[in-house]
């Protein structure tokens, strides 16, 4: 295990991939450019939420001035370091949608499908080279007790219009060969794979071509009403904004309500060296699906682009998930991205899943912050007399949902007649997390209970059942 991880760089494969320097350069204005004193719309955060908001704002109001600021760099946080599973679900999966929004789940599924289609169309329209592939997803059981819940999940997906097929152990292993698999299903619709960082950089470049100004290394330190607009105070001076979108994920927010609704949770990831032809033959995976297993603490994994046809390297495996770590006091710090214990556990689980790949080396190891909330799906709100709107709380499924989140933010600011604003998903907030130390105790306890449930064939403890009953939860 140690040998497999010995040379792994503490950095994000997606953000360090070949060609990254040029893509980063076209994604933002030069740091030497002074920030403007005013703009019609200021967007705080250059992840997917902020970038989709910028791009859609240029479509809605081609003549308005739009400025995006980011404390770090375009796509440097969750948006550039995730698994790249781009799902049509706006609700962190159908089951969660049915539980939380029973009255409108059909409509949310439909909106989610349209959202994914629109993402695909925008990627094509703007020529974003981010490897968008509608591969679908394999949901796999790694123990017999997981088969029945997986069958139920498959039937539910089919009832909501998804294209699914059950794979018994032999059929599943013909798709992707692991001795740990008992069976599973392939959801062919509603799930695409993307290169996450290339998507972020591509969105930023497209927005800039439409006149959006993007300023990196420009943290907002505060904001407040000013005349008919909002003053966004940054470390490089204030910007007077007509309207503001806050797209700051789990990072500390000047809006107290957001701090109560989301908690930053670290998710950790490994990337292997490129696979040789022999290694690929040993596992199959010709259809390049995304994969997730069926435990509470689940793994997700996928292949990176196969560059062999153009003379480049073979695909790598990106492998993440399992531990979801909350640090006391909502702590966010770059040092927390490296966690030996979790990276070793991930490597161990990888080699148990694919013993055929014994001897493989991991080249990159990283972590990133997820904005978890108690209903596991995006939550919206406004502040300062509807001049500020926010979308946060995607939990671990925001690659696709962020485009929808950005749409709703713009409608909250500019289109009060939008039918989207009548959705329960938009109008109702999740239950907040309690303050510390109860927040840490509650999240840590729940995480341990989920781990125990996985060890006890999925049986849920009294604590988990009590949380289920009041609609509280913890997920990644
Ligand atoms: C390891 C990992 C794996 C994941 N895998 C998947 C997956 O496979 N599929 C999926 O659907 N989702 C996945 N997610 C979740 C998904 O990446 C996020 O939901 C999505 O990227 C959120 O986008 P965002 O723009 O809201 O946030 P971010 O991308 O985090 O962007 C927020 C930005 O705001 C900036 N910011 C914060 N505060 C300030 C401030 N005060 N001033 C200026 N700027 C500020 C930050 O620097 C950051 O760039 C994963 C997340 C992680 C961390």
């Amino acid at each position: 295990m140690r040998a497999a991880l010995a040379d792994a760089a503490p950095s994000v494969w997606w953000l360090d991939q070949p060609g990254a320097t040029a893509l980063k350069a076209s994604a933002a204005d030069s740091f030497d450019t002074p920030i403007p004193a005013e703009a019609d719309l200021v967007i705080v955060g250059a992840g997917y939420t902020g970038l989709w908001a910028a791009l859609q704002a240029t479509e809605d109001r081609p003549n308005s001035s739009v400025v995006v600021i980011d404390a770090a760099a375009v796509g440097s946080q969750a948006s550039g370091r995730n698994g790249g599973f781009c799902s049509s679900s706006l609700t962190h999966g159908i089951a969660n949608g049915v539980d939380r929004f029973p009255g409108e789940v059909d409509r949310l599924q439909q909106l989610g499908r349209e959202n994914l289609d629109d993402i695909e169309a925008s990627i094509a329209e703007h020529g974003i080279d981010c490897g968008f592939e509608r591969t679908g997803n394999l949901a796999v059981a790694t123990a017999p007790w997981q088969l029945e819940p997986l069958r139920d999940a498959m039937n539910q997906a089919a009832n909501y219009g998804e294209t699914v097929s059950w794979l018994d152990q032999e059929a599943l292993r013909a798709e992707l060969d692991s001795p740990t698999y008992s069976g599973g299903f392939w959801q062919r619709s509603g799930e695409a794979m993307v290169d996450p960082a290339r998507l972020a950089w591509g969105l930023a470049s497209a927005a800039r071509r439409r006149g959006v100004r993007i300023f990196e290394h420009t943290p907002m330190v505060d904001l407040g009403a000013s005349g008919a607009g909002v003053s966004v105070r940054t470390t490089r001076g204030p910007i007077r904004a007509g309207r503001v979108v806050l797209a700051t994920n789990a990072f500390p927010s000047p809006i107290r309500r957001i701090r109560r609704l989301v908690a930053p949770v670290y998710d950790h990831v490994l990337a292997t060296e490129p696979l040789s032809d022999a290694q690929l033959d040993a596992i199959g995976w010709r259809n390049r699906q995304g994969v997730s297993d069926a435990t509470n603490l689940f793994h997700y994994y996928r292949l990176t682009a196969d560059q062999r046809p153009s003379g480049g390297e073979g695909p790598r495996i990106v492998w993440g998930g399992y531990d979801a770590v909350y640090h006391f006091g909502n702590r966010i710090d770059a040092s927390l991205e490296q966690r030996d214990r979790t990276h070793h556990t991930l490597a161990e689980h990888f080699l148990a899943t694919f013993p055929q790949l014994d001897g493989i080396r991991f080249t990159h190891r990283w972590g990133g912050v997820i904005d978890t909330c108690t209903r596991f799906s995006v939550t919206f709100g406004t502040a300062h007399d509807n001049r500020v709107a926010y979308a946060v709380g995607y939990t671990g499924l925001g690659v696709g949902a962020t485009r929808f989140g950005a749409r709703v933010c713009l409608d909250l600011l500019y289109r009060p007649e939008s039918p989207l604003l009548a959705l329960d998903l938009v109008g109702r907030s999740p239950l907040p997390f309690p303050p510390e130390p109860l927040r840490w105790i509650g999240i840590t306890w729940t995480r341990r209970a989920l781990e125990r449930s996985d060890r006890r064939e999925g049986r849920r403890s009294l604590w988990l059942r009590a949380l289920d009953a009041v609609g509280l939860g913890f997920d990644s």
Side-chain angles (χ1 to χ4, degrees):
M1 200 67 48
R2 299 210 168 269
L5 272 170
D7 305 327
S11 68
V12 181
W13 149 252
W14 305 113
L15 294 171
D16 286 351
Q17 63 181 287
T21 308
L23 293 166
K24 285 178 187 170
S26 66
D29 290 53
S30 146
F31 189 68
D32 302 333
T33 318
I35 59 166
E38 55 184 38
D40 295 323
L41 175 65
V42 171
I43 296 167
V44 185
Y48 300 139
T49 302
L51 296 169
W52 279 118
L55 199 55
Q56 293 179 91
T58 66
E59 289 158 11
D60 294 353
R61 296 182 171 65
N63 297 322
S64 67
S65 53
V66 180
V67 166
V68 181
I69 59 169
D70 197 284
V74 167
S76 59
Q77 300 304 319
S79 297
R81 53 182 67 216
N82 61 69
F85 288 58
C86 188
S87 171
S88 64
S89 176
L90 304 176
T91 57
H92 203 269
I94 298 174
N96 191 50
V98 171
D99 280 357
R100 312 270 170 180
F101 309 103
E104 63 186 29
V105 65
D106 283 309
R107 172 117 172 89
L108 293 175
Q109 284 293 114
Q110 181 56 29
L111 287 167
R113 278 191 283 272
E114 289 166 14
N115 186 55
L116 186 59
D117 290 346
D118 289 343
I119 290 172
E120 186 172 20
S122 286
I123 287 171
E125 181 191 345
H126 297 287
I128 299 174
D129 177 13
C130 65
F132 182 97
E133 293 176 88
R134 287 205 187 240
T135 59
N137 188 60
L138 291 176
V140 302
T142 51
W145 65 266
Q146 295 162 15
L147 288 169
E148 197 184 318
L150 265 191
R151 260 193 198 279
D152 292 345
M154 182 189 76
N155 291 335
Q156 190 175 48
N159 288 342
Y160 283 93
E162 301 299 349
T163 309
V164 292
S165 45
W166 184 257
L167 304 174
D168 63 18
Q169 187 176 46
E170 193 184 340
L172 178 57
R173 291 187 62 172
E175 282 299 326
L176 175 59
D177 192 11
S178 168
T180 64
Y181 294 168
S182 309
F185 73 95
W186 183 356
Q187 182 175 321
R188 292 168 189 259
S189 60
E191 191 89 54
M193 293 293 127
V194 294
D195 176 322
R198 280 174 168 269
L199 175 59
W201 296 324
L203 289 173
S205 300
R208 290 185 71 218
R209 287 196 294 276
R210 293 263 179 96
V212 174
R213 317 274 312 273
I214 302 183
F215 297 94
E216 298 181 322
H217 310 293
T218 307
M220 171 190 72
V221 287
D222 201 2
L223 90 174
S226 162
V230 180
S231 174
V232 178
R233 291 185 277 282
T234 82
T235 51
R236 298 172 68 196
I239 311 177
R240 229 178 13 261
R243 296 286 182 273
V244 173
V245 168
L246 289 181
T248 50
N249 192 284
F251 291 86
S253 176
I255 310 284
R256 194 176 311 144
R257 210 174 325 138
I258 297 182
R259 298 202 294 268
R260 288 201 299 261
L261 292 178
V262 297
V265 168
Y266 275 85
D267 190 48
H268 297 270
V269 192
L270 298 174
T272 67
E273 62 190 334
L275 269 62
S276 66
D277 291 349
Q279 286 170 317
L280 272 170
D281 284 347
I283 55 172
W285 217 346
R286 279 167 294 276
N287 290 311
R288 297 178 50 79
Q289 304 94 331
V291 186
S292 50
D293 51 33
T295 41
N296 288 305
L297 303 184
F298 61 95
H299 306 86
Y300 56 88
Y301 38 109
R302 46 96 35 111
L303 293 169
T304 64
D306 186 351
Q307 311 282 6
R308 289 173 301 171
S310 53
E313 63 181 41
R316 297 162 186 260
I317 299 176
V318 169
W319 172 275
Y322 192 69
D323 271 344
V325 188
Y326 172 73
H327 297 275
F328 188 88
N330 294 325
R331 196 166 151 228
I332 297 180
D333 187 312
S335 65
L336 302 175
E337 292 165 15
Q338 296 301 322
R339 195 166 192 260
D340 280 351
R341 183 146 50 102
T342 298
H343 283 130
H344 280 106
T345 305
L346 282 172
E348 203 178 294
H349 292 175
F350 178 99
L351 291 172
T353 304
F354 298 123
Q356 315 92 303
L357 301 182
D358 189 27
I360 199 164
R361 317 281 287 190
F362 296 100
T363 55
H364 295 73
R365 45 184 276 179
W366 69 91
V369 170
I370 281 171
D371 53 348
T372 197
C373 75
T374 57
R375 72 178 187 200
F376 320 145
S377 41
V378 57
T379 176
F380 303 95
T382 59
H384 297 294
D385 290 332
N386 297 329
R387 288 175 238 169
V388 176
Y390 60 81
V392 292
Y394 301 96
T395 311
L397 206 69
V399 174
T402 40
R403 183 185 175 281
F404 175 83
R407 175 71 268 154
V408 170
C409 275
L410 295 177
D411 287 1
L412 284 165
L413 295 175
Y414 299 109
R415 276 207 325 143
E417 75 287 4
S418 162
L420 297 180
L421 305 188
L423 289 167
D424 207 19
L425 172 72
V426 175
R428 184 163 55 87
S429 294
L431 288 169
F433 288 109
E436 296 292 14
L438 292 179
R439 180 180 282 223
W440 184 84
I441 293 168
I443 293 177
T444 308
W445 200 328
T446 306
R447 201 204 150 280
R448 284 188 194 145
L450 290 169
E451 197 175 3
R452 259 197 316 277
S453 158
D454 284 335
R455 282 201 309 269
R456 296 169 58 223
E457 308 207 326
R459 284 191 295 281
R460 291 177 84 74
S461 63
L462 209 57
W463 171 253
L464 290 178
R465 279 183 280 139
L467 291 181
D468 293 344
V470 293
L472 272 171
F474 173 71
D475 207 336
S476 61

